[in-house]
Structures are given as structure tokens and as C-alpha cells.
Amino acid sequence: ETGVTQSPTHLIKTRGQQVTLRCSSQSGHNTVSWYQQALGQGPQFIFQYYREEENGRGNFPPRFSGLQFPNYSSELNVNALELDDSALYLCASGPWDSPLHFGNGTRLTVT
Amino acid sequence: SQQGEEDPQALSIQEGENATMNCSYKTSINNLQWYRQNSGRGLVHLILIRSNEREKHSGRLRVTLDTSKKSSSLLITASRAADTASYFCATDRGGSNYKLTFGKGTLLTVNP
């Protein structure tokens, strides 16, 4: 049990639609990161938020955006969904510069 | 892009045997970590080794780091069926954001 919960666990969307994924972190975890994991691959860094500000971004287009809230919750928003966006999306949180605590992920399928 | 490459991609052993997985990476690092992932679920942190350390132990886990070869190994001793999972190495470069770069993972199957 990592104390990081994600919702929903599974989601099916149609190409072109928009999606919001949610994450609730442990109290005291002032960083939250989002990762995308395609089938058979390792997780890829999307972005990190620190104290509610974006603090680093991976190689993902602007249609991937996020928010971090003061109550240790966060969101990942993806606009104009593409088929290649089908993946497991993982939220991870932790104190600064410490090993990450991962949620169980949201499995997104884009048809 | 993937920073690390785990080797082998898949490993199948019998309960009680030792399992060794290797990881190579491309750039200088601050820390290297190993994570475990049960099928389709979240990752669980196993162990962290800093760039100035050469070996670290935690229970049945032993990690080595060779920064001159840009490689690390994870040894699991006396494996159990419950150790069946995918194992990933992840590196960070320190600095202003805590970005982990993962390899593609090793799928370990421990047969009872």
C-alpha cells in the first residue's frame, strides 16, 4: 500500500475526445509526477509538479497538461486523444528528491 | 526515450534459485533505483543506490553499481514464487526536477 490512489482504474475513450485522470497523494508529498507506460515498455516521464507548479516536462506535446492542488490531489488532462495515447498512466508522489510512491495506474484505451 | 536497458528481457527460474538482472544506462547519473511491478499494477520501490556507492543490500536484494561501465545489477537470492514480476531500473540526474528515466524491464518468472 503506497498511499497513492488513482481513478478511474480503466477508461475507454474515442479518438479526438478529452480525458481527465485523477490522483490522490499522501499528505506531505510535495511532488507529483505522471508517467505513461505503453504495453511492454518502461514508464516514460510526462511531467512533474512541485508545490502546484510544473517543474519539468518530458517529451510530450502540450495537449498533455496537469494540475496539482493544495490538498495533495492532482490531475492529468489529455486533449485530442490519439490511438497511441492508449497506455497505463501512473501517478507517483513523494517528498522532494526521494524514491517515488506509485499508484496502481489508470488503463486508458483509445478507440 | 529510455535511458536504461535491462538484460535479460525475460528470466525464468525455479524457486530457491538466485536471479540476476542487469541494467545499462547512457548518461551520468545521481542515483539509480530498482522498482518492481506486478502485472499491470503500480511500481514498488525496492532499493536506491547513489552514484558514489558500489554495493547495497536490503534483505534478499543486492544491488551493485559500476559508474565506469554505466551498469548496475540486481540480485535476488533464494527466490520465491511471489517474486514473479517485472523489474525496472530507473536513473535520475539530480538537479531541479526529480525525473526518473526507466529501462524496458526484465520479466522474472519464479516457478514453484
Side-chain angles (χ1 to χ4, degrees), chain B residues 27-43:
Chain B
T27 63
S28 62
I29 64 169
N30 185 40
N31 302 309
L32 185 143
Q33 303 177 50
W34 286 88
Y35 284 83
R36 163 200 168 121
Q37 184 178 37
N38 286 70
S39 179
R41 295 177 66 83
L43 284 81

Side-chain angles (χ1 to χ4, degrees), chain A:
Chain A
E1 182 59 49
T2 65
V4 179
T5 57
Q6 293 187 242
S7 62
T9 54
H10 295 84
L11 200 53
I12 300 174
K13 288 286 191 178
T14 303
R15 190 170 52 183
Q17 286 187 315
Q18 179 266 343
V19 70
T20 297
L21 310 182
R22 294 183 170 83
C23 174
S24 176
S25 308
Q26 278 185 304
S27 174
H29 286 189
N30 52 16
T31 74
V32 65
S33 302
W34 286 89
Y35 288 80
Q36 180 196 66
Q37 186 177 22
L39 206 58
Q41 302 293 314
Q44 296 227 10
F45 176 75
I46 303 175
F47 43 57
Q48 180 196 66
Y49 278 77
Y50 175 63
R51 293 182 176 173
E52 301 159 46
E53 298 278 336
E54 187 178 294
N55 183 49
R57 188 177 187 93
N59 189 26
F60 282 81
R63 59 190 184 83
F64 285 77
S65 63
L67 287 170
Q68 183 187 23
F69 302 102
N71 65 352
Y72 302 105
S73 66
S74 61
E75 290 180 355
L76 165 65
N77 298 289
V78 187
N79 294 324
L81 283 166
E82 300 177 359
L83 297 179
D84 284 350
D85 295 334
S86 294
L88 181 68
Y89 288 85
L90 295 162
C91 169
S93 70
W96 180 259
D97 200 23
S98 296
L100 295 177
H101 301 255
F102 281 83
N104 282 330
T106 294
R107 172 74 62 188
L108 174 64
T109 303
V110 182
T111 62

